Every structure is written in structure tokens, then in C-alpha cells.
Amino acid sequence: MAQKTPITVAYGDGIGPEIMEASLFILQEAGAQLDIEVIEIGEKVYLRGNSAGIEDSAWESLRRTRVFYKAPITTPQGGGFKSLNVTTRKTLGLYANVRPCVAYDPFVATKHPGMDVVVVRENEEDVYGGIEHRQTTDVYQCLKLITRPGTEKIVRYAFEYARAHNRKKVTCFTKDNILKMTDGLFHKIFDEIAKEYPDLENEHWIVDIGCAKLADTPEAFDVIVMPNLYGDILSDMAAQIAGSIGLAPSANIGDHAAMFEAIHGSAPRRAGQNLANPSGLLLAGVMMLVHIGQGDVAERVHNAWLRTIEDGIHTYDIYDERVSKQKVGTREFAQAVVARLGQKPEKLKPVSYQAARSDAFQSRVSPRPATKKTLVGVDVFLEWTGGTPDDLGAALQRVNGDGLELTMITNRGTKVWPHGQPETFCVDHWRCRFQPPGDPNREVTHQQIIALLQRVHDAGFDFIKTENLCNFDGQPGYSLGQGQ
Ligand code: NAD
């Protein structure tokens, strides 16, 4: 008998315990070799006063097993509770969120028969660093961070996943026509890494039109990789239009650990009634078995599940008298799947994981390139309400000197000095660019910037932050103002 793989299991809240029990019953009847450690997370832990919803002892289990099979939890209403999912992802470095969105027509109603898309969402970066500041009376800011290593990891993961699962194409969604540096980097790295996978097609879509196309013609896509925020929104959309939000699983994968769960929540109103559909969690269990190298068991479970769906044995949420044969509860559904272990679907496409390599793929990032960084100026941000942009320009020119002079002022990214347009609406937040006179590429020192800030302060201005302007190997590492 194969060695058992240790996994950590949380039964969660609401319908969680019922669907976890049903899912584990099926996995174990199918022959999964699991050594289960149970931890408590969620509502009870939150209400004991632990704002993270998870105890230290649970982290120890997760560090030991590195595999987390998690039922949905209830986040108590009211402030102060941290999202357990975000905490788990960040603490365990789960950088890839993988969400297969599949239509099961004609057995489950869907607007998109044949849809079979996997959304691979970057899970740690982008605006999810949560680095936000109120900078002025009018203006709030959130930092969007896209990194070279983080992007390499997720893009390579998407291509590796596509290869391991016999997929044909990887598509990238970004908004790099506007976010030329952050999303521009994501797109550039996608193009670089795509060259390492000549056996797979690749393409890029601007996220807005790509999203419209995905909602309209999902069969045009296969695996789609994207930054965190777009992935958050689009993966829910994709699961919903597949018609199967209650059936959709997700995997959160990192180098040191992985977490598998359904995408739905704890549905408290359905709890304890033997009504809930365990399919999302069960299919997450299938992803987990592939991940831990028990692909043969994963295949038995998945094919038996497809056969159950095809045989019209449905829980209330997908029951439709035109195609369903029997409305069953959670336990009966699980028994129906177990009764079909060893069978394959006849109309739906059977799955094969025999050849699938584990998704436990060790990410790789390129060595940090040697880069020549040159400081060439500074953007000083001010809170100011003292008049027109020309008034500000005139006042700030008086702080010119010591090799730095005012070259541009923008408001919300639009150039308003010199030669602004009177129609431009301005708020109390000004970006004031100082560069060496005559040559924007001449090197300046940090000392010059500190001295400039002192002069700005002495002139009575409230500076709220600075951003250094740097060239990297001679290329500007900063955006130009719109209107330039
Ligand atoms: P939900 O997904 O729990 O429920 C939405 C609807 O779908 C409900 O009508 C519910 O009855 C139905 N539903 C969901 N799963 C089902 C299943 N397996 N079988 C049958 N019907 C199902 O979303 P919600 O009501 O917005 O959230 C409830 C709680 O779950 C909240 O506390 C929320 O914070 C939490 N939540 C947790 C997770 C997680 O743990 N990953 C994810 C989302 C929401």
C-alpha cells in the first residue's frame, strides 16, 4: 500500500462540516492515501477573540503537512476580523490561484456549452499588498506593486500547468495600454516566458476586451493568466457563466504549501440540513490528489463524479426536472459517487490524470539582472489649495537651484504647468517634477533632493511624499505626465 500523505483538514462553518465529510468519504473510498490532521479555523476562533480566525497550533500543522484541504468558513459580521484566506495565502506564500471553470451541459444549465477555461490568478501582489494612504483632504492612494520575480513565478506556473494538463494555449490579460510600467512588465515577462514553451500557443488581450470576449465566447480560451485584481474579478465571472459556481473548485499553490477549497462560501442558511452540494469541495480534493501525486485516485473520483452528474443525480442547487433524475441530499450524493467509482462518463468527457505531473511545481526566477540605476530627479507631491496651477508654478520656481529646477506640474496625472489648459479640474494633490536644468538625464544626488525638500518646506509648502526619478540602464523608470 502506498505511503499516506499528511494533509491538514478544516471542516469550516455552515455547510462546511457536511460537505467536508462527504468529500473525504468519497476520496477515501476511492483509495486516497491520506493521513489527516484536523484543525479548527473560522467563526468559533474569531469569536474567541482571535482576529485572524486561526490559532498558532494550526499554523504548526500547516507547516508540517504543507497541504491544506479547507471547507468554507463564516466571517463574522462587523469590523476587525482579518480575511483568513488572505492571511493564509500571504503567510504560506501561495502565489498561484488556479480555478478551472467548466460547463457540464446539458446536465447542468449553462449559457456556454463547452466552456472549459482555467483562470490562473497571481495571488500575492498588485493592489493586494493593501498599502493605502490618505494623502490629502481630497486624495486617497493605493500602491499597485508588480514585481519581476512575482510575475515570472505566476506566468511560468501558468505555462507549466498548461503543459501538465495537456492544454493548448495560454492567454495573458493586462491593461498595459494604460499601465505601461506595471502591467507592461507583466506582459513583457509573459512574452519572454512564452518563448520557453514553443509547444503551447500564447496570446495577449487587453483585459477589458478580453473580459468581454471571455463572457461572450469562453470557448476561445484555454488557460488565462493575469494579475491579482483582474483575476479576482474575472475568475468569479468565469465560474458563474460556466453555470457552476456551486461546482467550482480552486487551488492556491505556493513553493512550500498549497490550499484547496470550493469557491463558494459557508451558506449558513443551508447548514445542517443535508442539502448542500459537496461538488466544489470534492473537485478541490481532486486537484489536491493530483498535487500530492495520487493522480490515479483523482481520476477515479473525478470520472465517478462526472458519471453521477450525467446520471442526473443532483443536489437541489442544480436540480432541473428537464434533465435531473433524482434530487438527493449531501450524503446520498456522496454515496452515488462512491457507487460509481471505477465508471466513466458516457456523454461528458472523461478526465485522465494518469499522465498528469503533479502541479507541485517548484517556481524558478531568473537571477536578478545587473542594472545601472541613475538618480536623475524627483517628483515632490504637495497638498496645496493656494490658487491656480500657474500660481503654484511661479511660487515653486523660487525654490529652484542647486542643480534642480521645476520642469512640470501634474494634477491627477494631467499636466497643468507649464502651458496647462484652463478646463482641467484640479484637486489638492500636485506632483511637482524637479530635474537638472537643460539635461533631464544628468545624475543628481540624494543630498540635492534633501536640500530641495528643505527649500520646499521653508517656502511654506506641505510636501506629502516624494518619488525619485531614476533611469535604469539609461531608460526612464517613471511615467511622463499626460499631455506631455
Ligand atoms: P455562499 O457562497 O455561502 O452562498 C451563496 C448562495 O449559494 C446561497 O444561496 C447558498 O445557499 C448557495 N450555495 C453556496 N454553496 C452551496 C453549496 N455547496 N450547495 C448548495 N448551495 C450553495 O455566499 P455568502 O452567502 O455570500 O457567504 C456566506 C459566508 O461564507 C460569509 O460569512 C462569507 O464571508 C463566507 N465565505 C467564505 C468563503 C471561504 O471560506 N472561502 C468564500 C466565500 C464566502
Side-chain angles (χ1 to χ4, degrees):
M1 182 173 280
Q3 214 184 343
K4 291 192 170 191
T5 305
I7 64 166
T8 301
V9 166
Y11 280 80
D13 302 314
I15 59 171
E18 304 159 64
I19 60 174
M20 182 55 88
E21 205 174 297
S23 299
L24 285 175
F25 168 62
I26 298 167
L27 299 184
Q28 287 175 319
E29 287 293 315
Q33 297 300 310
L34 303 173
D35 183 3
I36 294 170
E37 291 186 17
V38 176
I39 59 168
E40 191 182 49
I41 54 164
E43 197 172 23
K44 286 199 205 80
V45 183
Y46 280 121
L47 295 177
R48 279 206 293 269
N50 180 324
S51 66
I54 178 165
E55 311 272 16
D56 287 347
S57 56
W59 287 121
E60 281 161 28
S61 171
L62 289 169
R63 279 200 194 92
R64 218 171 18 246
T65 68
R66 297 158 168 238
V67 180
F68 190 12
Y69 191 28
K70 174 179 164 293
I73 59 151
T74 300
T75 314
Q77 298 283 315
F81 302 109
K82 287 191 219 137
S83 157
L84 188 61
N85 268 7
V86 175
T87 308
T88 313
R89 259 180 230 153
K90 287 192 177 169
T91 309
L92 299 178
L94 308 180
Y95 64 87
N97 186 308
V98 184
R99 191 178 282 190
C101 301
V102 184
Y104 301 101
D105 56 285
F107 307 102
V108 180
T110 175
K111 293 193 185 73
H112 295 290
M115 178 174 178
D116 184 4
V117 171
V118 180
V119 178
V120 177
R121 162 190 171 194
E122 197 290 319
N123 223 7
E124 293 184 295
E125 303 196 337
D126 199 342
V127 291
Y128 288 73
I131 307 172
E132 295 191 298
H133 295 94
R134 180 175 182 174
Q135 297 185 311
T136 70
T137 302
D138 287 343
V139 176
Y140 296 70
Q141 173 192 269
C142 174
L143 286 187
K144 170 172 166 123
L145 298 177
I146 301 284
T147 72
R148 174 167 270 281
T151 306
E152 276 193 26
K153 278 164 72 171
I154 191 66
V155 170
R156 214 170 249 122
Y157 185 87
F159 279 99
E160 288 290 325
Y161 179 95
R163 238 185 211 170
H165 291 265
N166 296 317
R167 298 276 176 166
K168 302 281 172 285
K169 181 168 76 172
V170 182
T171 304
C172 175
F173 282 180
T174 72
K175 186 77 185 170
D176 68 339
N177 54 334
I178 302 296
L179 300 169
K180 294 183 197 310
M181 300 196 67
T182 47
D183 283 21
L185 177 68
F186 199 98
H187 185 174
K188 179 167 170 278
I189 291 174
F190 176 81
D191 287 346
E192 284 170 16
I193 290 178
K195 292 198 183 79
E196 297 172 20
Y197 298 85
D199 48 318
L200 293 166
E201 283 176 56
N202 71 83
E203 61 178 6
H204 172 270
W205 289 79
I206 299 291
V207 62
D208 41 16
I209 188 64
C211 177
K213 175 108 175 145
L214 176 63
D216 182 63
T217 323
E219 54 281 10
F221 296 99
D222 197 348
V223 174
I224 315 179
V225 63
M226 59 192 108
N228 205 341
L229 181 61
Y230 312 141
D232 191 356
I233 299 165
L234 266 64
S235 60
D236 265 25
M237 190 276 286
Q240 179 68 38
I241 64 167
S244 57
I245 202 137
L247 308 184
S250 83
N252 289 269
I253 310 281
D255 286 338
H256 310 293
M259 173 170 84
F260 302 87
E261 62 179 348
I263 68 167
H264 61 73
S266 59
R269 283 188 304 121
R270 309 286 181 193
Q273 299 160 56
N274 190 37
L275 280 174
N277 188 345
S279 298
L281 190 59
L282 178 68
L283 295 179
V286 167
M287 295 177 88
M288 176 179 73
L289 291 178
V290 175
H291 179 80
I292 61 178
Q294 298 186 25
D296 49 342
V297 189
E299 184 174 311
R300 269 164 69 74
V301 173
H302 202 157
N303 281 330
W305 177 83
L306 287 165
R307 182 62 184 264
T308 311
I309 294 295
E310 185 180 278
D311 284 349
I313 301 184
H314 294 166
T315 43
Y316 83 92
D317 55 313
I318 56 168
Y319 185 86
D320 177 345
E321 57 192 19
R322 285 167 299 177
V323 288
S324 303
K325 302 246 165 53
Q326 200 185 342
K327 191 190 278 185
V328 291
T330 315
R331 279 192 295 276
E332 296 71 31
F333 182 81
Q335 281 154 2
V337 178
V338 167
R340 286 165 179 75
L341 287 169
Q343 297 182 32
K344 285 190 175 168
E346 290 173 344
K347 300 193 186 74
L348 293 168
K349 199 167 148 239
V351 294
S352 167
Y353 295 121
Q354 302 285 357
R357 282 184 291 126
S358 164
D359 309 18
F361 147 78
Q362 198 64 33
S363 67
R364 177 165 57 85
V365 295
S366 316
R368 200 161 169 263
T371 316
K372 185 171 169 12
K373 177 177 168 183
T374 321
L375 182 62
V376 292
V378 64
D379 281 345
V380 180
F381 289 75
L382 304 178
E383 176 165 7
W384 185 76
T385 50
T388 65
D390 282 343
D391 295 337
L392 180 60
L396 276 179
Q397 278 180 298
R398 290 198 277 277
V399 306
N400 284 349
D402 186 29
L404 281 172
E405 72 173 25
L406 182 71
T407 55
M408 175 181 79
I409 302 174
T410 68
N411 195 289
R412 296 191 301 173
T414 302
K415 193 177 87 170
V416 293
W417 185 94
H419 317 303
Q421 304 296 333
E423 295 81 9
T424 305
F425 177 73
C426 291
V427 295
D428 60 359
H429 182 273
W430 307 83
R431 173 178 63 164
C432 308
R433 178 160 292 178
F434 289 86
Q435 292 169 297
D439 178 5
N441 292 317
R442 192 183 322 138
E443 192 159 359
V444 303
T445 64
H446 286 82
Q447 209 55 47
Q448 283 171 277
I449 292 175
I450 294 167
L452 171 70
L453 285 181
Q454 186 65 54
R455 295 196 300 278
V456 169
H457 168 73
D458 291 345
F461 288 102
D462 175 10
F463 64 83
I464 52 177
K465 76 160 189 172
T466 63
E467 290 282 356
N468 288 346
L469 307 180
C470 296
N471 287 348
F472 291 82
D473 295 330
Q475 296 301 314
Y478 50 92
S479 61
L480 303 174
Q482 273 172 21
Q484 275 208 318

